[in-house]
Amino acid sequence: MRILFLGPPGAGKGTQCKNLSEKLKVPHLSSGDLLRDAVKNGTEVGRLAKSYMDKGELVPDPVLIDMFRERLNSKECANGFILDGFPRNLAQAQALDKMLEEIKQPLIVVLNLQVPDHLLMARITGRRTCPDKQCNAVYHINFKPSPDGKNCECGAELVQRSDDKEELVKERLRIYNEQTAPLIDYYDKKLLLRTIDGDGEEQAIFADILHTLTPPAVPDSV
Ligand code: AP5
């Protein structure tokens, strides 16, 4: 399976990509997680990325394109992948098309997770994440609290992402609408787009995603 997720910040892309990656046993490539790892490791890319992420802006295209080219060409992706957060504008989408053409691994489907604007801010500002690299669990103070409301199941103390503050979220949403939302039309024209209603309970949305990915049954009469 070669799947791309689209959706605004806080739509639940990371949550559903994790569920799907476990179910399908294909890697989940999250641009945000890859960038945050680079920041944590203090690499050159991480230092550059941080200066943009701290303002809620997009990191320059060449950084992301190189990062994903390396991943998509690795053995890890030989049997499929789930892309989350890349591409995020037209230039990145065109670069991805080219990369996938070169490795003869075209996208099978693009899932657009649709969530009304008024829910996004509450989802993002209430998010808490596990800082442990191996765990990386994501919770929500109201919608998915950790067992004791403070620590992850793995024991690490939960933290709030530095870009999950209200002012930055507003900027991220503005940039999403300006630069990323046009990709919905881009993939619709390629007949790859499927829309998923992301307003609901996590497991119900996951069931809907699995249903969308299941090929229609062959009618008895055929
Ligand atoms: P990134 O990490 O990709 O952030 P994002 O796209 O803004 O998406 P989020 O992680 O905020 O949301 P999500 O949809 O994954 O939601 P989640 O499942 O966590 O990017 C961060 C930054 O990196 C960017 O701003 C940019 O600077 C840079 N960057 C990344 N990619 C780039 C690129 N390609 N080019 C340039 N720059 C790039 O859910 C959110 C919360 O809601 C959680 O608490 C969760 O528990 C809760 N939740 C999930 N589902 C539900 C539900 N059904 N009901 C109630 N709550 C729910």
Side-chain angles (χ1 to χ4, degrees), residues 1-3 24 26 79-82 108-109 213-214:
M1 266 292 185
R2 296 180 297 276
I3 304 169
L24 301 180
V26 291
N79 295 319
F81 47 79
I82 302 169
I108 304 288
V109 67
L213 295 177
T214 309

Side-chain angles (χ1 to χ4, degrees), residues 10 13-15 31 36 57 85 88 92 127 139 161 172 200:
K13 303 182 295 297
T15 302
S31 58
R36 280 184 289 277
E57 291 174 2
R88 241 175 165 99
Q92 291 183 14
R127 171 167 47 199
Y139 295 91
R161 259 170 56 177
R172 285 163 56 199

Side-chain angles (χ1 to χ4, degrees), residues 107-123:
L107 290 171
I108 304 288
V109 67
V110 176
L111 299 177
N112 179 34
L113 214 45
Q114 216 169 46
V115 177
D117 281 358
H118 70 274
L119 296 181
L120 297 172
M121 184 62 80
R123 281 198 188 179

Side-chain angles (χ1 to χ4, degrees), residues 126-141:
R127 171 167 47 199
R128 297 294 180 270
T129 57
C130 177
D132 183 288
K133 224 170 147 181
Q134 304 306 319
C135 176
N136 228 359
V138 176
Y139 295 91
H140 190 281
I141 51 171

